[in-house]
């Protein structure tokens, strides 16, 4: 976690739309992964590409499919001869639920904006403010739908085009149609779930309930 405010050397987390715009601006220098893939592929025909959109794994005895996480999918479908590892990981998934949700960076971004806007009294640490915001949102289901800022249509199209370029470069022959369907489904779900959006902190602090929250809490 970030423990220091930006003026004290802490990292400032940018909104996703701002970050991805800068990333795409330097996209040509970001193609190292594709260059590495092509270099290895030129050395061997025995090159396995694992479709991480596909969470189904077929067991080595021919049964299945069963749902699996990314690591198990890689061991079972990407590593030739790793039947024992595959079986072990599948057994582990039955014994314990694996939960690795992405971290919501909104509370930290809001804490920094509130701090820089003079809404936080001196002496408050960054992680303490972030924690209070997290608990406040969790205790108020009615404010769970917060203003969001998302990439504009042009940036989303660039994201889609670049992602599609990578996808097509590693398609596995014989299963291309399904892989493209999986890709488009994943993209659609990401848009519907606002995976590319972050809290609009400037708009949030203008709202009455949040003004009251910061006034009474800090």
């Amino acid at each position: 976690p970030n423990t220091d405010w930006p003026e004290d050397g802490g990292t400032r987390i940018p909104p996703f739309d701002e970050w991805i715009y800068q990333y795409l601006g330097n996209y040509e220098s970001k193609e190292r992964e594709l260059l590495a893939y092509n270099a290895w592929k030129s050395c061997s025909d025995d090159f396995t590409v694992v479709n991480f959109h596909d969470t189904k794994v077929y067991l080595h005895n021919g049964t299945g499919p069963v749902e699996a996480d990314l690591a198990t999918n890689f061991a079972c479908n990407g590593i030739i001869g790793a039947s024992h590892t595959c079986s072990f990981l599948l057994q582990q998934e039955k014994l314990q639920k694996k939960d690795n949700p992405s971290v919501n960076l909104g509370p930290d971004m809001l804490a920094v904006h509130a701090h820089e806007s003079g809404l936080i009294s001196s002496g408050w640490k960054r992680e303490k403010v972030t924690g209070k915001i997290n608990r406040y949102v969790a205790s108020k289901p009615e404010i769970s739908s917060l203003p969001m800022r998302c990439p504009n249509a042009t940036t989303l199209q660039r994201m889609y085009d670049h992602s599609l370029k990578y996808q097509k470069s590693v398609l596995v022959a014989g299963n291309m149609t399904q892989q493209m369907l999986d890709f488009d489904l994943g993209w659609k779900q990401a848009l519907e779930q606002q995976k590319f959006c972050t809290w609009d902190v400037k708009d949030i602090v203008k709202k009455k309930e949040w003004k009251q929250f910061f006034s009474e809490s800090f």
Side-chain angles (χ1 to χ4, degrees):
N2 288 299
T3 57
D4 296 321
W5 298 111
E7 69 268 22
D8 296 324
T11 301
R12 180 190 302 278
I13 301 173
F16 179 78
D17 62 311
E18 180 182 306
W19 176 85
I20 195 64
Y21 181 82
Q22 295 175 351
Y23 177 92
L24 292 173
N26 298 318
Y27 177 75
E28 294 305 322
S29 65
K30 304 287 186 180
E31 294 190 315
R32 292 187 297 270
E33 297 88 349
L34 189 55
L35 292 174
Y37 167 77
N38 289 331
W40 281 104
K41 191 175 181 181
S42 67
C43 299
S44 174
D45 293 330
D46 190 13
F47 200 96
T48 302
V49 175
V50 177
N51 178 13
F52 71 87
H53 296 291
D54 186 2
T55 59
K56 295 180 177 61
V57 169
Y58 286 88
L59 306 183
H60 290 278
N61 61 10
T63 61
V66 296
E67 290 289 329
D69 65 11
L70 180 59
T72 304
N73 182 8
F74 178 75
C76 296
N77 295 330
I79 305 177
I80 298 174
S83 57
H84 293 295
T85 301
C86 175
S87 298
F88 174 79
L89 291 175
L90 286 171
Q91 185 62 32
Q92 288 297 107
E93 288 198 5
K94 292 180 181 179
L95 297 176
Q96 59 185 10
K97 179 182 177 182
K98 294 184 178 180
D99 191 13
N100 185 28
S102 57
V103 176
N104 181 8
L105 300 176
D108 180 80
M109 295 165 62
L110 180 56
V112 169
H113 181 71
H115 168 74
E116 295 178 339
S117 299
L119 301 176
I120 309 296
S121 302
S122 60
W124 278 93
K125 293 185 178 296
R126 181 172 176 174
E127 70 269 27
K128 295 293 185 181
V129 177
T130 300
K132 269 209 163 193
I133 292 172
N134 261 317
R135 290 190 292 274
Y136 180 66
V137 173
S139 69
K140 300 282 187 178
E142 66 271 17
I143 67 165
S144 61
S145 180
L146 296 168
M148 306 290 280
R149 56 180 290 178
C150 310
N152 59 33
T154 301
T155 301
L156 285 173
Q157 187 60 53
R158 291 182 67 195
M159 288 171 58
Y160 178 86
D161 292 342
H162 289 314
S163 298
L164 184 61
K165 177 182 177 181
Y166 272 116
Q167 184 74 9
K168 287 183 175 179
S169 70
V170 295
L171 287 176
V172 180
N175 194 27
M176 294 185 179
T177 300
Q178 185 57 52
Q179 290 172 76
M180 287 307 305
L181 289 173
D182 291 339
F183 172 79
D184 283 328
L185 177 60
W187 178 263
K188 180 181 178 182
Q189 290 175 337
L191 292 178
E192 291 175 346
Q193 297 169 15
Q194 294 189 311
K195 292 291 187 180
F196 307 131
C197 304
T198 45
W199 290 6
D200 189 337
V201 296
K202 293 181 179 180
D203 197 10
I204 289 173
V205 296
K206 296 177 183 177
K207 294 189 172 297
K208 180 180 178 180
E209 65 267 32
W210 281 98
K211 287 182 179 180
Q212 182 177 352
F213 165 75
F214 285 113
S215 175
E216 295 177 353
S217 301
F218 306 103

